[in-house]
Amino acid sequence: MEPRPARARGPGLPLPLRALAAALLLAQAGRAAGDPGPALWPRPLSVSSSPRSLRLSPENFYIRHGLNSTAGPSCSLLQEAFRRYYDYIFGFHKWHHGHFRVQAGSQLEQLVVSIVLESQCDSFPNVSADESYTLLVQEPVAVLKANRVWGALRGLETFSQLIYRDSFGTFTINESTVTDSPRFPHRGILIDTSRHYLSVKTILRTLDAMAFNKLNVLHWHIVDDESFPYQSVSFPHLSSEGSYSLSHVYTPNDVRMVLEYARLRGIRVIPEFDTPGHTQSWGKGQKDLLTPCSLFRKPEQTFGPINPILNTTYTFLKTFFKEISNVFPDEFIHLGGDEVEFLCWASNPQIQSFMKTKGYGGDYAKLESFYIKKLLDIIAALNKRSIVWQEVFDNRAKLHPGTIVEVWKSEDYFEELRKVTAAGFPAILSAPWYLDLISYGQDWRTYYSVEPLDFQGSEKQKQLVMGGEACLWGEYVDSTNLTPRLWPRASAVAERLWSPKGKNITEAYARLARHRCRMVRRGIAAQPLFSGHCSHEDT
C-alpha cells in the first residue's frame, strides 16, 4: 500500500505562543515521568483508589489460582502469565538492586486469580473473546476475577501497573477497585514484513508491547510486491524465489512460534495475503499467475496483477488458502484487494476479449470484483471469514455477509465508515492511524484525539465498527527502528480503542510519559514523548 506523503516540520521553526505554553506544560509533566505512583494505560472503565497503601515483598508475595477457579494449576497459559508478571513487577529491580528492604506497615501477600466461566486455557482468542475483569486490592489478599483467561491477562497487566516504588524504594500498591472491559473488540497493530524483513525476535517483542497496551490483534501483512517471506509447504518456490534471500523467510516453525507467543498474551494473529495487486513477488515462484502486460515496449516481459481469467489461478488459490486456513487458527484472513493497477489488464488482448464476453465494457473494477467474488467463495468454503481493504467495497464487489471492510484512505474516512456500515458490513478504522507517516513533535496527540464513532449514522451502524488498527508500513522500517517508531505512538491508539469515550490530553500525557518509562524498563525501546527522564535512569 503506497504511503501518503508526510508533512515534515523542522526543529528550528518558531512555535506560536499558545503552542509554546502547551509545550512548557507538557515539559513539566515530562519531568514527573519518574515520580512514584501508578499510571494506568489504557485507562480502565472504572477505577477507584484509596490513600491506604500496602507493601509488597518479592520474597513473600505470590500470584496463584483461586480455589474455585475453572482454571487450575494445569492452565499453562496462566502459569506462564503469573511467572511473566512477577518478573515484570520485581525482576528489573532484582537484577539492579539485589536484596530488598521492606518498610513496616500493611502488607499485600497474594494476588488470587479466579476464572468464573470455562477458562479456555488451551484455546486461541477470537473476535468475541471476553476480556472483562474486576480487580479488588485489599489487605492482605488482592482478588482478580474474570470470566475467561483473556480477561485475567488484561487484569494482570492492570495489577502490575498499580504497583509503584515509594520514596523509601519499597514496592507499594494502594487499595483499589477496578472494573474493566474494552470498548472495541478489535484493537490491532499492522506490521509489514515484505518491504523489510522483520526478525522473529522483533515480532515477539512487538507482541510483548501490545500486551502491555492491551492490544489484541497482530495484523501480519506478511507478503507484498517486494518480497514473499512466507515459506509455503504447498508452494515452496513462492519463498525460495520470491524472498530477499533464503535467510529472509518465515519457516513453519517460525510461524508456530509467533502464533503461540501471541496466544499466551491473548493476541490474535490475522495474516494478510493481498491480491490481486501487490503480487509481483508471487509471480517469481508461481508461473502463469500474473497477467502479462502487452502495452509496454520493453525488451523484457512485464507483468501486472494476478490474472483473473484463468482457471489455473483459482486452482492455485484454493490450494494456497487451504494451507493458510490450516496454519493460522484465527477465523479471519485478510485478503487485501487495494490499489489494483488496471493498466496491465487493459493492455492484455485475452483479458480484453474476456471483458467483452462478460459485458464489462471498459470497467475494470467489474473484473476485479469478479476475481474478489471467486476468492471470497474460496475462503467461505474453508469456513473462514474475510477482511478486505475499502476499495473492494467501493468497487461494488459482492461481499459475503459479515465481511469486514478496513477503512484506510485519509479522504473523508468518516463518510466511508458511514457508507460501509449503512450497507450492513462491519468495519475497522485505520485511516487516521498510519504511524509510518512521521512528523516532528508529539503526533501521538493527533492519534489520541480521534473518536472512531464520530460519523453520521444510527446506533446500529456504530455497533458495526469493530475497532481499529495502528499501521506501520515497512518502506522505511526494519528491525532497527520498528520498536521506537511504534511505541508509545501506538499506545495512544490503544487507549482510544480500549477506554471509554473522552480525552484529556494533559492528563493523558502525564500517564503516557510514565507508561513509556515502564515499557522501557520492560525492554521495549519506546521513544520519549518530550524532554524529561525516567526514574530508573537515576540508578
Side-chain angles (χ1 to χ4, degrees):
M1 188 172 295
E2 189 67 24
R4 302 186 297 277
R7 181 178 297 172
R9 193 183 87 190
L13 295 177
L15 286 168
L17 288 178
R18 187 166 61 179
L20 180 60
L24 291 173
L25 179 64
L26 293 177
Q28 184 177 6
R31 294 187 188 98
D35 290 350
L40 300 185
W41 195 280
R43 180 165 53 91
L45 179 64
S46 171
V47 56
S48 61
S49 296
S50 80
R52 187 166 187 261
S53 61
L54 309 174
R55 311 290 194 260
L56 289 82
S57 165
E59 290 81 9
N60 299 309
F61 178 80
Y62 304 94
I63 305 175
R64 66 173 181 84
H65 298 89
L67 293 177
N68 298 320
S69 176
T70 60
S74 62
C75 180
S76 59
L77 182 147
L78 279 184
Q79 291 287 358
E80 165 62 20
F82 294 168
R83 181 208 60 76
R84 194 165 68 244
Y85 275 95
Y86 183 91
D87 199 47
Y88 290 152
I89 295 167
F90 301 117
F92 173 85
H93 296 284
K94 268 190 174 180
W95 287 108
H96 289 74
H97 299 279
H99 296 290
F100 296 93
R101 185 168 54 110
V102 180
Q103 299 293 313
S106 302
Q107 301 285 313
L108 186 67
E109 299 171 357
Q110 295 182 54
L111 172 65
V112 175
V113 181
S114 294
I115 310 299
V116 179
L117 302 178
E118 181 187 352
S119 65
Q120 300 182 338
C121 286
D122 300 320
S123 304
F124 282 86
N126 57 43
V127 69
S128 59
D130 188 343
E131 298 174 282
S132 64
Y133 67 92
T134 60
L135 175 62
L136 177 63
V137 180
Q138 282 185 331
E139 183 187 10
V141 177
V143 178
L144 169 61
K145 287 185 179 180
N147 291 327
R148 308 286 190 186
V149 291
W150 319 118
L153 291 174
R154 306 302 173 232
L156 283 167
E157 177 60 35
T158 297
F159 178 77
S160 73
Q161 293 186 9
L162 283 169
I163 297 168
Y164 60 97
R165 301 192 80 193
D166 65 15
S167 56
F168 298 101
T170 303
F171 291 96
T172 306
I173 188 169
N174 288 72
E175 289 194 336
S176 306
T177 302
V178 180
T179 302
D180 203 8
S181 60
R183 185 182 181 198
F184 295 100
H186 186 115
R187 308 179 307 280
I189 293 289
L190 179 147
I191 59 170
D192 172 7
T193 56
S194 172
R195 276 61 181 247
H196 284 96
Y197 178 85
L198 298 174
S199 68
V200 172
K201 181 180 179 181
T202 298
I203 296 174
L204 300 185
R205 187 185 303 116
T206 301
L207 291 167
D208 280 330
M210 289 174 65
F212 301 156
N213 291 272
K214 297 187 174 74
L215 291 162
N216 68 345
V217 176
L218 180 70
H219 176 171
W220 192 353
H221 187 88
I222 194 166
V223 303
D224 208 292
D225 281 329
E226 287 79 358
S227 73
F228 197 106
Y230 172 78
Q231 188 178 84
S232 169
V233 174
S234 304
F235 301 98
H237 288 298
L238 287 172
S239 60
S240 65
E241 301 295 329
S243 64
Y244 286 129
S245 77
L246 296 182
S247 63
H248 291 86
V249 299
Y250 300 106
T251 67
N253 282 338
D254 291 334
V255 173
R256 281 193 291 269
M257 182 186 301
V258 169
L259 291 172
E260 180 62 9
Y261 200 89
R263 185 186 78 85
L264 292 174
R265 287 151 183 80
I267 297 172
R268 301 162 55 205
V269 178
I270 297 179
E272 181 184 354
F273 291 89
D274 190 359
T275 68
H278 291 281
T279 49
Q280 290 299 299
S281 65
W282 299 54
K284 296 176 182 179
Q286 186 64 21
K287 186 180 178 183
D288 299 328
L289 181 64
L290 303 185
T291 304
C293 307
S294 304
L295 182 67
F296 311 109
R297 295 178 180 177
K298 293 183 178 181
E300 73 278 2
Q301 177 69 65
T302 58
F303 296 90
I306 283 179
N307 193 329
I309 70 172
L310 301 179
N311 290 334
T312 53
T313 292
Y314 302 102
T315 301
F316 162 79
L317 291 173
K318 285 179 182 178
T319 303
F320 179 75
F321 278 105
K322 182 178 181 180
E323 174 186 326
I324 297 307
S325 70
N326 289 330
V327 169
F328 291 89
D330 200 82
E331 63 186 296
F332 286 94
I333 299 174
H334 203 305
L335 302 178
D338 64 304
E339 298 180 326
V340 180
E341 177 53 67
F342 295 150
L343 189 60
C344 180
W345 280 352
S347 77
N348 185 285
Q350 287 76 31
I351 287 185
Q352 291 174 11
S353 177
F354 181 87
M355 293 274 289
K356 185 176 181 179
T357 301
K358 286 287 187 180
Y360 291 164
D363 190 351
Y364 287 91
K366 290 183 178 179
L367 181 59
E368 179 192 5
S369 296
F370 169 85
Y371 168 88
I372 291 292
K373 173 64 167 59
K374 283 182 168 287
L375 181 55
L376 290 172
D377 289 344
I378 290 171
I379 300 304
L382 295 169
N383 294 316
K384 294 283 190 175
R385 295 173 62 187
S386 301
I387 305 175
V388 295
W389 295 110
Q390 71 179 74
E391 288 96 321
V392 174
F393 171 82
D394 294 341
N395 291 339
R396 299 182 175 84
K398 187 175 181 181
L399 301 180
H400 287 230
T403 300
I404 295 178
V405 178
E406 183 159 6
V407 175
W408 73 273
K409 292 188 175 182
S410 61
E411 300 83 11
D412 205 356
Y413 54 81
F414 282 136
E415 174 62 13
E416 185 75 11
L417 278 177
R418 186 196 66 78
K419 290 179 181 177
V420 170
T421 55
F425 293 105
I428 296 168
L429 179 64
S430 60
W433 295 318
Y434 266 43
L435 304 193
D436 51 297
L437 304 182
I438 59 175
S439 60
Y440 184 78
Q442 300 186 52
D443 52 3
W444 72 270
R445 292 179 291 175
T446 302
Y447 308 141
Y448 189 80
S449 297
V450 173
E451 169 45 50
L453 301 186
D454 197 14
F455 63 94
Q456 296 297 317
S458 66
E459 186 61 32
K460 183 179 179 181
Q461 283 178 253
K462 295 187 178 185
Q463 289 175 359
L464 287 171
V465 178
M466 306 295 292
E469 294 181 347
C471 300
L472 189 58
W473 296 98
E475 287 87 352
Y476 305 99
V477 176
D478 64 8
S479 292
T480 66
N481 65 342
L482 177 132
T483 300
R485 192 160 291 189
L486 259 182
W487 310 105
R489 298 161 78 227
S491 301
V493 183
E495 177 152 305
R496 188 50 49 237
L497 295 174
W498 177 280
S499 302
K501 182 178 179 179
K503 39 198 176 287
N504 180 323
I505 291 289
T506 303
E507 182 274 338
Y509 181 93
R511 284 187 294 113
L512 185 55
R514 295 207 295 274
H515 180 57
R516 176 257 168 180
C517 289
R518 178 166 52 232
M519 286 195 287
V520 172
R521 285 197 303 272
R522 293 181 182 184
I524 306 300
Q527 69 181 22
L529 296 177
F530 196 63
S531 302
H533 77 288
C534 297
S535 60
H536 70 271
E537 296 172 341
D538 295 333
T539 57

